[in-house]
Short mmCIF file of all heavy atoms in Angstrom, two decimals:
data_model
loop_
_atom_site.label_atom_id
_atom_site.label_comp_id
_atom_site.label_asym_id
_atom_site.label_seq_id
_atom_site.Cartn_x
_atom_site.Cartn_y
_atom_site.Cartn_z
N ASN W 114 141.26 81.20 96.24
CA ASN W 114 142.38 80.66 97.05
C ASN W 114 142.44 81.34 98.47
O ASN W 114 142.62 80.66 99.41
CB ASN W 114 143.73 80.74 96.33
CG ASN W 114 143.78 79.66 95.19
OD1 ASN W 114 143.02 78.74 95.19
ND2 ASN W 114 144.62 80.00 94.24
N ASN W 115 142.21 82.67 98.44
CA ASN W 115 142.32 83.37 99.73
C ASN W 115 141.13 83.05 100.51
O ASN W 115 141.28 82.77 101.75
CB ASN W 115 142.22 84.89 99.38
CG ASN W 115 143.51 85.43 98.77
OD1 ASN W 115 144.59 84.84 98.94
ND2 ASN W 115 143.46 86.64 98.17
N VAL W 116 139.96 82.80 99.89
CA VAL W 116 138.84 82.40 100.74
C VAL W 116 139.01 81.03 101.25
O VAL W 116 138.68 80.69 102.50
CB VAL W 116 137.51 82.44 99.83
CG1 VAL W 116 136.31 81.76 100.51
CG2 VAL W 116 137.18 83.89 99.52
N LYS W 117 139.63 80.15 100.52
CA LYS W 117 139.87 78.73 100.97
C LYS W 117 140.82 78.80 102.20
O LYS W 117 140.68 78.06 103.18
CB LYS W 117 140.41 77.92 99.90
CG LYS W 117 139.49 77.49 98.82
CD LYS W 117 140.09 76.64 97.79
CE LYS W 117 139.07 76.16 96.77
NZ LYS W 117 139.77 75.39 95.60
N GLU W 118 141.85 79.60 102.10
CA GLU W 118 142.82 79.77 103.18
C GLU W 118 142.15 80.26 104.43
O GLU W 118 142.36 79.71 105.52
CB GLU W 118 143.99 80.75 102.82
CG GLU W 118 145.05 80.05 101.90
CD GLU W 118 145.71 78.80 102.52
OE1 GLU W 118 146.09 78.95 103.74
OE2 GLU W 118 145.86 77.85 101.80
N THR W 119 141.33 81.29 104.32
CA THR W 119 140.51 81.83 105.44
C THR W 119 139.64 80.76 106.07
O THR W 119 139.63 80.62 107.26
CB THR W 119 139.67 83.01 104.96
OG1 THR W 119 140.48 83.99 104.34
CG2 THR W 119 138.97 83.69 106.15
N VAL W 120 139.02 79.94 105.22
CA VAL W 120 138.17 78.94 105.75
C VAL W 120 139.01 77.84 106.48
O VAL W 120 138.68 77.37 107.55
CB VAL W 120 137.44 78.24 104.57
CG1 VAL W 120 136.74 76.92 105.05
CG2 VAL W 120 136.34 79.16 103.99
N LYS W 121 140.19 77.55 106.02
CA LYS W 121 141.11 76.62 106.67
C LYS W 121 141.53 77.09 108.06
O LYS W 121 141.53 76.40 108.98
CB LYS W 121 142.37 76.35 105.78
CG LYS W 121 142.13 75.37 104.69
CD LYS W 121 143.30 75.08 103.84
CE LYS W 121 143.06 74.28 102.71
NZ LYS W 121 144.22 74.13 101.82
N LEU W 122 141.85 78.48 108.01
CA LEU W 122 142.16 79.09 109.33
C LEU W 122 141.03 79.02 110.30
O LEU W 122 141.22 78.72 111.48
CB LEU W 122 142.63 80.41 109.17
CG LEU W 122 144.00 80.67 108.37
CD1 LEU W 122 144.18 82.15 108.15
CD2 LEU W 122 145.10 80.09 109.20
N LYS W 123 139.81 79.27 109.88
CA LYS W 123 138.67 79.31 110.64
C LYS W 123 138.37 77.85 111.10
O LYS W 123 138.05 77.66 112.31
CB LYS W 123 137.41 79.78 109.94
CG LYS W 123 137.45 81.32 109.49
CD LYS W 123 137.57 82.23 110.79
CE LYS W 123 137.58 83.59 110.29
NZ LYS W 123 137.82 84.59 111.36
N ASP W 124 138.55 76.98 110.28
CA ASP W 124 138.39 75.50 110.68
C ASP W 124 139.32 75.11 111.79
O ASP W 124 138.99 74.37 112.79
CB ASP W 124 138.52 74.57 109.53
CG ASP W 124 137.24 74.60 108.59
OD1 ASP W 124 136.25 75.11 109.03
OD2 ASP W 124 137.40 74.10 107.45
N SER W 125 140.61 75.47 111.61
CA SER W 125 141.58 75.11 112.73
C SER W 125 141.25 75.82 113.99
O SER W 125 141.53 75.29 115.07
CB SER W 125 143.00 75.50 112.22
OG SER W 125 143.12 76.87 112.09
N GLU W 126 140.78 77.15 113.94
CA GLU W 126 140.40 77.88 115.10
C GLU W 126 139.23 77.12 115.88
O GLU W 126 139.14 77.02 117.04
CB GLU W 126 140.02 79.23 114.73
CG GLU W 126 139.65 80.13 115.85
CD GLU W 126 140.82 80.50 116.82
OE1 GLU W 126 141.98 80.38 116.33
OE2 GLU W 126 140.54 80.96 117.96
N ILE W 127 138.22 76.74 115.02
CA ILE W 127 137.04 76.01 115.53
C ILE W 127 137.50 74.79 116.22
O ILE W 127 137.09 74.38 117.33
CB ILE W 127 136.05 75.71 114.43
CG1 ILE W 127 135.31 77.06 114.09
CG2 ILE W 127 134.98 74.71 114.93
CD1 ILE W 127 134.47 76.91 112.89
N GLU W 128 138.36 73.99 115.64
CA GLU W 128 138.90 72.75 116.20
C GLU W 128 139.63 73.01 117.50
O GLU W 128 139.48 72.34 118.50
CB GLU W 128 139.90 72.04 115.20
CG GLU W 128 140.46 70.82 115.65
CD GLU W 128 139.25 69.70 115.93
OE1 GLU W 128 138.22 69.69 115.10
OE2 GLU W 128 139.43 68.89 116.85
N ARG W 129 140.42 74.05 117.59
CA ARG W 129 141.15 74.46 118.80
C ARG W 129 140.17 74.85 119.88
O ARG W 129 140.37 74.35 121.03
CB ARG W 129 142.11 75.60 118.50
CG ARG W 129 142.95 75.89 119.73
CD ARG W 129 143.76 77.33 119.53
NE ARG W 129 142.96 78.44 119.35
CZ ARG W 129 142.29 79.07 120.37
NH1 ARG W 129 142.47 78.58 121.58
NH2 ARG W 129 141.70 80.18 120.19
N LEU W 130 139.10 75.60 119.57
CA LEU W 130 138.06 75.93 120.58
C LEU W 130 137.28 74.72 121.01
O LEU W 130 136.99 74.61 122.28
CB LEU W 130 137.15 77.00 120.01
CG LEU W 130 137.76 78.35 119.76
CD1 LEU W 130 136.78 79.33 119.10
CD2 LEU W 130 138.17 79.02 121.08
N ASN W 131 137.02 73.76 120.14
CA ASN W 131 136.41 72.54 120.57
C ASN W 131 137.22 71.79 121.57
O ASN W 131 136.67 71.20 122.53
CB ASN W 131 136.01 71.72 119.33
CG ASN W 131 134.74 72.20 118.57
OD1 ASN W 131 133.93 72.87 119.18
ND2 ASN W 131 134.67 71.91 117.31
N GLN W 132 138.56 71.69 121.26
CA GLN W 132 139.48 71.04 122.17
C GLN W 132 139.56 71.70 123.53
O GLN W 132 139.48 71.10 124.58
CB GLN W 132 140.92 71.00 121.50
CG GLN W 132 141.87 70.15 122.33
CD GLN W 132 141.51 68.67 122.37
OE1 GLN W 132 140.95 68.20 121.49
NE2 GLN W 132 141.73 68.09 123.57
N GLU W 133 139.48 73.04 123.54
CA GLU W 133 139.54 73.76 124.78
C GLU W 133 138.18 73.54 125.59
O GLU W 133 138.29 73.37 126.80
CB GLU W 133 139.69 75.28 124.43
CG GLU W 133 140.13 76.10 125.63
CD GLU W 133 140.41 77.50 125.30
OE1 GLU W 133 141.17 77.71 124.28
OE2 GLU W 133 139.93 78.46 126.04
N ILE W 134 137.17 73.52 124.85
CA ILE W 134 135.85 73.17 125.58
C ILE W 134 135.88 71.85 126.13
O ILE W 134 135.43 71.62 127.31
CB ILE W 134 134.70 73.39 124.57
CG1 ILE W 134 134.46 74.82 124.25
CG2 ILE W 134 133.45 72.69 125.12
CD1 ILE W 134 133.47 75.10 123.13
N SER W 135 136.43 70.90 125.40
CA SER W 135 136.47 69.54 125.97
C SER W 135 137.39 69.49 127.20
O SER W 135 137.05 68.87 128.18
CB SER W 135 137.17 68.63 124.90
OG SER W 135 137.29 67.32 125.30
N ASN W 136 138.53 70.16 127.15
CA ASN W 136 139.42 70.20 128.35
C ASN W 136 138.71 70.88 129.47
O ASN W 136 138.89 70.42 130.66
CB ASN W 136 140.67 71.07 128.00
CG ASN W 136 141.63 70.25 127.02
OD1 ASN W 136 141.49 69.13 126.87
ND2 ASN W 136 142.52 70.99 126.31
N LEU W 137 138.01 71.99 129.32
CA LEU W 137 137.30 72.64 130.34
C LEU W 137 136.26 71.73 130.98
O LEU W 137 135.93 71.66 132.25
CB LEU W 137 136.61 73.89 129.91
CG LEU W 137 137.58 75.09 129.65
CD1 LEU W 137 136.90 76.32 129.01
CD2 LEU W 137 138.25 75.55 130.90
N GLU W 138 135.56 70.96 130.15
CA GLU W 138 134.55 70.05 130.70
C GLU W 138 135.21 68.96 131.51
O GLU W 138 134.69 68.59 132.56
CB GLU W 138 133.84 69.36 129.53
CG GLU W 138 132.77 70.22 128.75
CD GLU W 138 132.18 69.66 127.53
OE1 GLU W 138 132.63 68.59 127.10
OE2 GLU W 138 131.32 70.17 127.02
N THR W 139 136.34 68.47 131.13
CA THR W 139 137.17 67.50 131.93
C THR W 139 137.54 68.16 133.21
O THR W 139 137.38 67.54 134.27
CB THR W 139 138.40 67.07 131.09
OG1 THR W 139 137.94 66.55 129.82
CG2 THR W 139 139.10 66.01 131.85
N LEU W 140 138.03 69.42 133.23
CA LEU W 140 138.40 70.03 134.49
C LEU W 140 137.19 70.22 135.45
O LEU W 140 137.34 70.07 136.68
CB LEU W 140 138.89 71.42 134.20
CG LEU W 140 140.38 71.44 133.62
CD1 LEU W 140 140.80 72.91 133.25
CD2 LEU W 140 141.39 70.80 134.54
N VAL W 141 135.98 70.50 134.81
CA VAL W 141 134.87 70.63 135.67
C VAL W 141 134.43 69.36 136.28
O VAL W 141 134.02 69.24 137.45
CB VAL W 141 133.64 71.26 134.87
CG1 VAL W 141 132.33 71.08 135.51
CG2 VAL W 141 133.90 72.68 134.47
N GLN W 142 134.57 68.29 135.51
CA GLN W 142 134.32 66.91 136.10
C GLN W 142 135.25 66.53 137.09
O GLN W 142 134.92 65.97 138.21
CB GLN W 142 134.35 65.90 134.95
CG GLN W 142 133.19 66.02 133.93
CD GLN W 142 133.33 65.12 132.71
OE1 GLN W 142 134.41 64.52 132.53
NE2 GLN W 142 132.33 65.05 131.89
N ILE W 143 136.48 66.90 137.02
CA ILE W 143 137.51 66.66 137.99
C ILE W 143 137.23 67.41 139.28
O ILE W 143 137.20 66.83 140.45
CB ILE W 143 138.96 66.95 137.58
CG1 ILE W 143 139.41 65.88 136.40
CG2 ILE W 143 140.00 66.93 138.61
CD1 ILE W 143 140.70 66.29 135.70
N GLU W 144 136.88 68.71 139.25
CA GLU W 144 136.51 69.47 140.39
C GLU W 144 135.30 68.90 141.05
O GLU W 144 135.16 68.88 142.22
CB GLU W 144 136.27 70.93 140.00
CG GLU W 144 137.55 71.66 139.62
CD GLU W 144 138.54 71.65 140.85
OE1 GLU W 144 138.17 71.95 141.91
OE2 GLU W 144 139.81 71.49 140.50
N SER W 145 134.31 68.48 140.29
CA SER W 145 133.12 67.91 140.72
C SER W 145 133.47 66.54 141.60
O SER W 145 132.89 66.36 142.59
CB SER W 145 132.12 67.58 139.64
OG SER W 145 131.06 66.87 140.12
N LEU W 146 134.28 65.78 140.91
CA LEU W 146 134.77 64.54 141.64
C LEU W 146 135.38 64.88 143.06
O LEU W 146 135.25 64.29 144.04
CB LEU W 146 135.61 63.71 140.73
CG LEU W 146 134.81 63.03 139.61
CD1 LEU W 146 135.87 62.28 138.70
CD2 LEU W 146 133.89 61.90 140.20
N LYS W 147 136.34 65.88 143.01
CA LYS W 147 137.08 66.35 144.18
C LYS W 147 136.07 66.80 145.24
O LYS W 147 136.18 66.34 146.48
CB LYS W 147 138.01 67.49 143.92
CG LYS W 147 139.28 67.14 143.14
CD LYS W 147 140.17 68.19 142.98
CE LYS W 147 141.42 67.86 142.28
NZ LYS W 147 142.32 69.00 142.02
N THR W 148 135.08 67.54 144.75
CA THR W 148 134.09 68.07 145.73
C THR W 148 133.26 66.94 146.40
O THR W 148 133.11 66.82 147.57
CB THR W 148 133.12 69.07 145.10
OG1 THR W 148 133.80 70.04 144.49
CG2 THR W 148 132.13 69.66 146.09
N GLU W 149 132.90 65.98 145.57
CA GLU W 149 132.17 64.85 145.99
C GLU W 149 132.96 63.96 147.03
O GLU W 149 132.45 63.51 148.01
CB GLU W 149 131.64 64.01 144.88
CG GLU W 149 130.57 63.02 145.17
CD GLU W 149 130.16 62.18 143.88
OE1 GLU W 149 130.08 62.89 142.87
OE2 GLU W 149 129.73 61.11 143.93
N LEU W 150 134.23 63.75 146.68
CA LEU W 150 135.15 63.08 147.52
C LEU W 150 135.29 63.75 148.81
O LEU W 150 135.36 63.11 149.87
CB LEU W 150 136.55 62.91 146.83
CG LEU W 150 137.55 62.05 147.51
CD1 LEU W 150 137.05 60.56 147.73
CD2 LEU W 150 138.89 61.98 146.76
N ALA W 151 135.50 65.00 148.87
CA ALA W 151 135.64 65.81 150.02
C ALA W 151 134.26 65.69 150.96
O ALA W 151 134.39 65.52 152.22
CB ALA W 151 135.83 67.26 149.83
N ASN W 152 133.15 65.67 150.32
CA ASN W 152 131.82 65.49 151.02
C ASN W 152 131.84 64.12 151.67
O ASN W 152 131.33 64.02 152.82
CB ASN W 152 130.75 65.72 150.08
CG ASN W 152 130.52 67.19 149.81
OD1 ASN W 152 130.96 68.12 150.51
ND2 ASN W 152 129.77 67.41 148.71
#
Side-chain angles (χ1 to χ4, degrees):
N114 289 338
N115 289 338
V116 169
K117 285 180 181 178
E118 284 297 319
T119 305
V120 168
K121 285 180 185 176
L122 290 174
K123 295 294 181 188
D124 285 345
S125 65
E126 181 70 17
I127 289 171
E128 184 62 34
R129 187 188 64 78
L130 289 173
N131 282 336
Q132 184 64 35
E133 193 172 318
I134 289 170
S135 176
N136 291 341
L137 287 173
E138 287 174 351
T139 305
L140 288 174
V141 167
Q142 289 172 350
I143 290 171
E144 288 298 320
S145 172
L146 288 173
K147 283 181 181 178
T148 305
E149 195 173 327
L150 185 61
N152 286 337

